[in-house]
Amino acid sequence: MSVFKKVEDGCEDCSLSQSRRGFLRQSLLAAAAALITLGVNPAAALADSFEPIDGRRGHDQTVKYPIPAADGVQIDKDNQVILVRWQGAAYAFNLSCPHQNTALRWDDADHRFQCPKHHSKYRPDGVFIEGRATRGMDRLSIQREGNDLVVDVDKMFKQDASAAEWGAAVVSLTN
Ligand code: FES
């Protein structure tokens, strides 16, 4: 499996020149070769990043993901989405910490999110535990479509400003 993302054709407003693309491609190939030399599988090194089935933030306001088969966390860095399946429910969160927008990380050992900047902690359902933040993780609108989850990245709910919408931004997977 290739670890490199396909550069989409027809990118009319793409500002990268061909020579710069070539340079970036060579750099990525060199990095992959270095990882292989060190005995690291480049695909494994990117294991916390995954791509949606369909949609892309900035081009389409919804992105679609297959329902995760088991409890866990997947991070779609391109679309700034955290997708969670946890204890019979699915959630989508904005990747940024609600305090000062640092990318959140998942601590698999403790089953919680942690901010690397000021160390706020959150439960898998986004509920705030402790730290400098003053609300839970920002949830995105999420709907079930058959075996997929459709996330509307333009509909983000802050727990303190939109408590009802925040609470409703969940898909039950128990039925
Ligand atoms: S940016 Fe996350 S706690 Fe400050």
Side-chain angles (χ1 to χ4, degrees):
M1 183 182 80
S2 171
V3 299
F4 302 113
K5 294 187 186 340
K6 177 176 175 286
V7 176
E8 292 182 355
D9 294 326
C11 178
E12 292 178 359
D13 56 355
C14 181
S15 60
L16 287 177
S17 68
Q18 290 298 327
S19 61
R20 178 129 186 240
R21 284 184 189 160
F23 171 76
L24 291 172
R25 189 177 299 114
Q26 288 302 318
S27 299
L28 288 169
L29 287 170
L35 285 171
I36 292 167
T37 302
L38 292 170
V40 176
N41 178 348
L46 299 176
D48 68 335
S49 184
F50 79 123
E51 294 189 29
I53 299 171
D54 193 19
R56 184 168 289 269
R57 197 169 199 157
H59 295 257
D60 186 334
Q61 68 177 16
T62 62
V63 283
K64 187 184 287 188
Y65 307 96
I67 295 174
D71 281 4
V73 171
Q74 296 170 309
I75 297 178
D76 175 4
K77 291 179 180 171
D78 284 352
N79 290 296
Q80 301 281 294
V81 172
I82 299 173
L83 189 71
V84 174
R85 176 175 182 148
W86 200 256
Q87 297 180 345
Y91 311 86
F93 301 100
N94 191 34
L95 180 59
S96 299
C97 178
H99 181 228
Q100 287 182 352
N101 299 321
T102 301
L104 292 165
R105 293 179 184 164
W106 171 246
D107 181 341
D108 202 38
D110 291 334
H111 294 162
R112 65 190 180 194
F113 290 97
Q114 180 155 330
C115 176
K117 190 169 185 182
H118 303 123
H119 312 296
S120 284
K121 297 177 177 59
Y122 308 86
R123 294 186 341 202
D125 60 0
V127 171
F128 173 69
I129 300 172
E130 63 182 18
R132 289 201 203 172
T134 56
R135 65 175 188 266
M137 290 163 60
D138 296 332
R139 287 185 179 177
L140 300 168
S141 172
I142 185 170
Q143 308 286 333
R144 182 172 184 167
E145 245 183 44
N147 292 321
D148 299 325
L149 296 167
V150 178
V151 176
D152 188 335
V153 295
D154 281 348
K155 287 187 185 158
M156 186 172 79
F157 307 119
K158 299 181 178 182
Q159 188 181 22
D160 51 0
S162 310
E165 292 89 344
W166 190 91
V170 55
V171 168
S172 173
L173 299 175
T174 56
N175 44 13

